Amino acid sequence: MSSATVPDIQEIVRQVIAELRGGPASDSRVANVRPVAKITANPARSFVGNYGIFDSVDDAVCASQEAFEQLERLGIDGRRKAIAQIRRISIDDAVELGQMEFAETKIGRLEHKIEKLKVLGERSPGVEFLTSEVFSGDHGLAIIEHAPFGVIGAITPVTHSLPTITGNAVSMIAGGNTVVVNPHPSGKKVAAEGVRRFNQAIHRDIGIDNLISLIAEPTLDTAAALFNHHGVKLICVTGGPAVAKAALQSSKRAIVAGPGNPPVVVDETADLDNAARSIIYGAAYDNNLLCIAEKQVFVVASVFDAMMAAMVRAGALRLTAQQVDTLTDRAIVMVGEGSHRHFAPCKDLLGQDAALLAKVAGALPRDDLKLVFGETDLSNPFVPTEQMMPFLPFVRCKDVDEAITRAHESEHGFRHTAIIHSNNVRNMTKMGRLLDTTLFIKNGASVAGLGLGGEGYLSFSIATPTGEGVTTPLTFTRQRRCTLVDDLRILGSPD
Ligand code: NAD
């Protein structure tokens, strides 16, 4: 055939792809992205343009399934691009979104709301975690790959509404999944705004909407509908005892990031000034809202008074015994009925500033005060309660064995987080073994356990009762093994 009659194959391909995408061909997009516009399982029910915001659980799951199928076709590169958009917004919009979260939830500290988003943008684990394993032997090869589950249903807490969604979204999408979130009602607006921004940017970049979907008016009923929806393949909950229990009782596989009550032990070998600075930093971070934050401190008697002095030197305000009693009466309440009756933090003071706690206690707060503390005995309700406010009870113990035993009791077997300040390796080991926690931090602030001042990556969902630990993309994958018998292995003698 002459060149005049030979069809331009590339031009035809470009036109076909353009038609499939419902728009004019663009060379760069054709090169980088496979067509997605017509991939949806049922185009009549397409939810493009929702940008992740839904009234109904059913629509959200359906849109999420569509998005999952589209993501699958873009491979790892599509996931990488989606995550890059989430991380970029997390950093670029951290101030605005942090302010929104603070204004809506009215708990914690603004600077930490902002920092949590920024750090997620920098240190949330992505597709690089998805390494395959290979077994190679006389009988050939076996490759284990990490495949997505599909649509994940997530429940998120008020203590870090958007940060939890952000970390979950990065890990879940890196694993190839999509997610439908039922946020805490008191943090639903910032959650929706973040989700909308993420989806708009991802849609602009790779042409997929609704990788992250959210129920705009979340209730316990919508949470239950999400748990039970046949399209949801995996559940991930982050929250307190009630939601952790509900998820553990669900018929679906659940990743459960449950409550904690992290104890601190200070022994006679500790660097007390470092211990004091670390305890203040960790316990005051976001006004003690973090599940890993220091909640009660057990100090060996021989250094107890010196430790209290070190806390004051490091900037915390010590309350008198009477002031501690006054604060306890106001800050801790009884909730529940019958055998379920237990202590809980008073909602008015949860996540509030140390200065307010000082005033409530009848003490004179200083400007820039971050933490108040005081000596209590074991029976003070602050010891067993996850207070989530910047007051710490300090309990005097006769020796390190008593301190470790008391720490163990106060943790309630959550196996979440524990901290020790010590230079005695035996004491560290003893405590680590007995408490058996998911995070165990030595000679640093609790937040070092999430990579803030320590090593490692960051996620605000730390799966405790179900054992996955600080969640990563691998947490949200299932193993698939592919075996090739007797071939492809290049070692061995030729036939
Ligand atoms: P919360 O338990 O009150 O609420 C968490 C979420 O669960 C919310 O979305 C809420 O609406 C939902 N929920 C509550 N009961 C439910 C039920 N029966 N069924 C379905 N959904 C239900 O907790 P919170 O005050 O938002 O957050 C603080 C708690 O979360 C603390 O106990 C803290 O330790 C824990 N937390 C744990 C982690 C972790 O990684 N392990 C991280 C952050 C917070």
Side-chain angles (χ1 to χ4, degrees), residues 67-86:
F68 169 68
E69 289 168 18
Q70 293 173 353
L71 183 66
E72 223 174 8
R73 300 196 178 219
L74 295 195
I76 302 284
D77 195 46
R79 303 180 195 177
R80 192 178 283 117
K81 285 178 176 158
I83 289 166
Q85 293 297 346
I86 299 173

Side-chain angles (χ1 to χ4, degrees), residues 8 13 30 79 137 191 211 231 306 310-311 353 373 395 440 478 490 494:
D8 181 339
V13 169
V30 169
R79 303 180 195 177
L211 283 184
M311 288 293 291
D353 289 348
F373 73 107
V395 180
F440 184 39
R478 60 201 178 90
I490 53 176

Side-chain angles (χ1 to χ4, degrees), residues 369-384:
L369 182 65
K370 298 204 168 57
L371 188 82
V372 286
F373 73 107
E375 180 172 4
T376 74
D377 58 23
L378 270 179
S379 63
N380 183 293
F382 268 108
V383 175

Side-chain angles (χ1 to χ4, degrees), residues 14-76:
R14 205 173 288 134
Q15 281 173 8
V16 169
I17 290 175
E19 278 171 27
L20 283 170
R21 294 178 60 83
S26 138
D27 282 350
S28 64
R29 297 192 82 170
V30 169
N32 295 332
V33 182
R34 279 184 264 170
V36 293
K38 296 284 171 71
I39 293 169
T40 50
N42 178 0
R45 295 199 67 198
S46 175
F47 296 98
V48 173
N50 272 64
Y51 299 123
I53 311 304
F54 291 89
D55 292 329
S56 114
V57 169
D58 208 37
D59 284 353
V61 174
C62 185
S64 198
Q65 177 64 29
E66 282 183 9
F68 169 68
E69 289 168 18
Q70 293 173 353
L71 183 66
E72 223 174 8
R73 300 196 178 219
L74 295 195
I76 302 284

Side-chain angles (χ1 to χ4, degrees), residues 155-160 182-185 220 223 238-243 246 257-260 291 386 388 416 460-462:
I155 309 273
T156 52
V158 68
T159 45
H160 342 276
N182 199 68
H184 193 291
L220 288 182
T238 307
V243 71
C291 56
E386 189 189 17
M388 292 184 273
H416 193 301
F460 287 112
S461 291
I462 302 149

